[in-house]
Amino acid sequence: MSVGQDTRGDTFDVDDPSLSRFDLIREGARRDGVEIVHYAPKFPVRGTKTEKRVERSIALLLVLSGLLAFGSVVAYIWWPFAYEPGPVASKLFTPLVGLGLGGSLVLLGLAIITFAKKLLPEEVSVQERHDGSPRDEQRLTGAAVLNMVDETGIRRRPLLKAAILLPAGGIGIAAAAPLIGGLIKDPNANHILTRTGWSPENNDGQNVRLTREDGTPIRPEDVSVGGQITVFPGIPGGATNEYADSPVLLIHLREADAEALRANLALAKQTGDHPPVVEGMWENFVAYSKICTHAGCPASLYEQQTNRLLCPCHQSQFLITNQAIPIFGPATRKLPMLPLELQDGFLVARSDFREPVGPAYWERPTQLEESP
Amino acid sequence: MSPARKRRRIDLARLPAATGEQLDVRFTGATPLRRLLNKVFPDHWSFMLGEIALYSFIMLLLTGTFLALFFDPSMTEVEYNGSYTPLRGVEMSRAYETSLNISFDVRGGLIMRQMHHWSALLFMAAIVVHMFRIFFTGAFRKPREANWIIGLLLFWVGLFTGFAGYGLPDDALSGTGLRIMSAITLSIPVIGSWVTTAVFGGEFPGNEILPRLYILHVFLLPGILLALIAVHMLLLVRQKHTQWPGPGRTNHNVVGVRMFPNFAMKAAGFSMVVFGLISLLGGLIQINPIWLFGPYKAAVVSSASQPDWYVMFLDGSTRLMPPWDIHIPLGDGYTIPALFWPTLVLPGLLTMVPMFYPFIEARLRKDRSALLPGARHLRRQRRGRREARHQPERDDLDRPDRPAGGPAGGLLRRLPRLPGSAAARPRGAGPRRRDGNHPAPARRPVHRGAPAAGRRRPARPRRAGLRRRRHPEEDEPPRRGRTGRPWLLLPGGEAGRAGPAARRRSGVTGRRADRHAGRRERPGHPGRGRGDGAGRARQPLTHTTALTTYAKGPASAPGRVLSLSPPIALPASVRRSTSWPKILASVEHLTVSFAKTGTTVEHLR
């Protein structure tokens, strides 16, 4: 585009000593396609009362801003900072520093804006939009761009055209290979998605005990009737995130609820539910996976009165007295039941879960073989 | 420069030349710099929304760099032994430990963390509101489609950056978010389980996800954001702002203040206010108190697990989705989890539909100029329109700003008309041209604004003092802003509101402006410009109106003006219009004829 160099018509001598600074500015703007239509000082008469007042208020804002900034530094250095429980002075450290810093910045901003609005000359300028290059310019550029392809003559050299595809594709794949290859892990190896910490494989073939977070095993009498407890596989690291699929909610049902669950299980077995019903209760104890079948959050809010488990992430609800089937919310499947048994007076898992725990995926099997 | 001259005192008169010379010698930058300093910005509060996003981003970079000095994204298990007594002795990841250290052991670390979080929320909020502004003012239309798409990408990249940062402290909320993320990747049909193990380096959560999120959060995604913001601003400078309608404002100019001193100073002040508000928020209003949540454990969740606000629409869609797994009874049986639709398909749609919306809308409105040049050419050929060959290609160029059709222009027009609603306005009504500044020649005998038979009523006045006429020969050129909605921003629109505020904005104030207004708004006055023959219009003779008439065509195509009567020598270019007032003062009337359309505009004093 030729804006800026286009000085035809007018002669403007930049060295003319009679020109004011503003004349130069106006001419510069003119060459940039900007017409300064209106540019006038806010206070044509200098030193009026109003102007003085504006100056004073800006100065006040600046002074306050500076004081607050220093106040913030003082608080930062001398205000007690170390954490102590209870309502102590150190709890005010962050608010004080924030108040000083934020207040100072806001006041500085207000001072600058007031300056711009009240003291800078008022201005109306009109700038032309450059609606694009002339048509011949576009034409020339288009030709230059297309020429890049044409000059290679690739169009009339089909052999080269075909041959170039091979290294192009090959190098592309070769460059991507380390990235993708380095990341790939076979989800089917080591039964990542299907095996949890409850598998006897993790425990030298022995059934895995139900333990608390600190690793102590659980006797039936430890859980009162109507009570529940989060349990973890009794293996090394069983309560850590290494076995993030394994947390289980152990519930000691009241007699009536246990009867209801038994009836529902029998009914489901009769109607031939798929996957087959897991008969995992031990007396009035039942254990459900805590990992929501919807998105994997712990479905851990136990509503004792309604016998429901609620997942706080997306509000799915599961009915404890009926195999933990979803009765509300976006979850589609029941929580897997962990088959229980009593060994040496402690609760153990008879086997791993009989279906994959947690959210669904494409090739998710609906049923798992019982591991030996 | 010779040493002798160097020793001289500074010659004030020579200072401009010397400064420019130094700039030019070193950077060949004199002209570009001046052009930048002289860039004109239109003044409207809604232009500040994007600025808020920019300033929040700067704050994010500053506070984030501070946090990175103290944060370690390691998932190694350690025992906490810091200042926060309630958690002493608890096993946790190193990432969570260092997050706690930033909050309790680094002096000023907590305010930095909170400012960082608040900046992120503000960044996303500003982006969203800014996008609404762009959308509802039609500023996404040609030629600004690319910048609209970049803005959309900024939103999504910002969202992912925010989500990655949300996952880093490894508190209970972070981990829950990551767990849901793993469920989402698992739900991808066919490759879901492979993607999940690739992302997490095996089973969830594994030991690699935090270092990976960290490099995304502090390097890759901010780098992309920076690059996108740079291009966003560059395009903005190239294409210039849209502007609200007003006297003297056309599709071809920007009326406002130059970057220096007025705009830059206001922007500096405004950025300080934004920084200050973020500091106040960070200091006074607690956000994400990770020490209350505890370290992430797969079995633990708090009852109010929520993402940051900008992810909540996905959280909501996930909650609302009915429990519909799709089972495919092939082989061992396959599943498309219900989770797939609200968390992957919906965001995909929310990316693709807005991205292509400018083009979809152009198509729905049969706006051929917004299509690709090739497509336009093909269509013409297909129709065999002879006049197409004579249609100068300039037509594409002298409408860089699409007319604002209002919210979702093309789509809304297809909805039933609601009385009094914005959509009720017939398509062909043309803008409210109360300033009456325009010669209003019809470019083509049949314009797109013509009402389809039986579908649209002719325009009717909706406001006292406003007369809207329709005349096939004399209506607004069909391409210009075709909305009368006063609350709408026309991109470079000409549909002027001649209210006092608009006059003030345009700098045309005082008695002169009042006289215009009187002429414009008095029905039946010749100044209304109905004209007495095809393509004749009358205007008051002032600098502004004459300039506007004259500027109807771009300065680079002045051949459009056929003749002037009396044959005075007006400057060849609107750019050199500083001499206009003087020249116009010497004539009593001025008639401008346009070669292309045969229309004439008379200006009478």
Side-chain angles (χ1 to χ4, degrees), chain A residues 83-126:
Chain A
Y83 174 82
E84 284 171 64
V88 288
S90 66
K91 294 271 196 307
L92 287 176
F93 176 86
T94 299
L96 280 175
V97 172
L99 202 64
L101 184 65
S104 157
L105 284 166
V106 168
L107 289 177
L108 175 63
L110 291 181
I112 297 176
I113 291 173
T114 314
F115 196 111
K117 282 181 110 77
K118 302 277 181 182
L119 293 185
L120 283 185
E122 57 185 45
E123 171 182 356
V124 176
S125 293
V126 181

Side-chain angles (χ1 to χ4, degrees), chain A residues 215-265:
Chain A
T216 52
I218 292 167
R219 295 175 187 280
E221 54 269 29
D222 293 345
V223 188
S224 57
V225 176
Q228 51 90 30
I229 181 174
T230 300
V231 296
F232 302 88
I235 53 174
T240 65
N241 286 341
E242 193 184 338
Y243 294 97
D245 281 345
S246 304
V248 155
L249 200 67
L250 174 70
I251 306 165
H252 190 174
L253 294 169
R254 286 168 294 231
E255 188 58 41
D257 299 332
E259 280 308 319
L261 177 55
R262 268 190 277 272
N264 280 324
L265 281 173

Side-chain angles (χ1 to χ4, degrees), chain B residues 65-84:
Chain B
T65 307
F66 175 91
L67 295 177
L69 298 177
F70 301 99
F71 180 71
D72 176 8
S74 158
M75 296 178 87
T76 316
E77 287 287 310
V78 293
E79 190 183 305
Y80 181 69
N81 212 9
S83 304
Y84 185 60

Side-chain angles (χ1 to χ4, degrees), chain B residues 291-305:
Chain B
W291 55 91
L292 300 180
F293 305 149
Y296 173 63
K297 287 180 183 154
V300 176
V301 73
S302 71
S303 60
S305 291

Side-chain angles (χ1 to χ4, degrees), chain B residues 101-178:
Chain B
N101 289 347
I102 287 172
S103 307
F104 291 106
D105 295 280
V106 176
R107 212 174 174 89
L110 179 60
I111 189 172
M112 285 293 177
R113 233 199 71 220
Q114 299 198 135
M115 279 166 71
H116 192 68
H117 205 134
W118 277 116
S119 305
L121 300 193
L122 191 63
F123 178 61
M124 293 305 291
I127 286 183
V128 170
V129 182
H130 177 60
M131 278 175 94
F132 279 133
R133 200 283 283 177
I134 296 296
F135 185 78
F136 286 110
T137 58
F140 59 86
R141 294 187 180 126
K142 189 186 174 188
R144 298 190 173 79
E145 303 99 329
N147 236 11
W148 164 254
I149 291 171
I150 290 173
L152 185 73
L153 291 178
L154 276 170
F155 168 80
W156 282 110
V157 177
L159 186 141
F160 282 116
T161 317
F163 184 81
Y166 181 87
L168 281 180
D170 204 25
D171 60 281
L173 269 184
S174 303
T176 306
L178 288 181

Side-chain angles (χ1 to χ4, degrees), chain B residues 320-396:
Chain B
L320 285 173
M321 177 72 195
W324 295 337
D325 278 355
I326 296 175
H327 296 285
I328 302 167
L330 284 174
D332 297 333
Y334 297 99
T335 310
I336 300 177
L339 194 60
F340 174 62
W341 307 105
T343 58
L344 288 166
V345 174
L346 181 73
L349 282 176
L350 288 179
T351 313
M352 286 303 152
V353 173
M355 189 179 277
F356 290 104
Y357 185 78
F359 309 103
I360 297 170
E361 190 204 65
R363 209 183 166 96
L364 287 178
R365 300 176 72 207
K366 301 192 171 41
D367 190 354
R368 288 178 300 125
S369 73
L371 300 175
L372 289 173
R376 183 165 172 249
H377 182 66
L378 282 177
R379 278 184 172 213
R380 278 189 178 162
Q381 275 190 336
R382 205 162 55 214
R383 290 191 189 167
R385 282 172 52 180
R386 285 188 63 205
E387 70 270 25
R389 255 179 285 142
H390 304 292
Q391 189 84 30
E393 289 290 323
R394 280 294 313 176
D395 268 13
D396 275 345

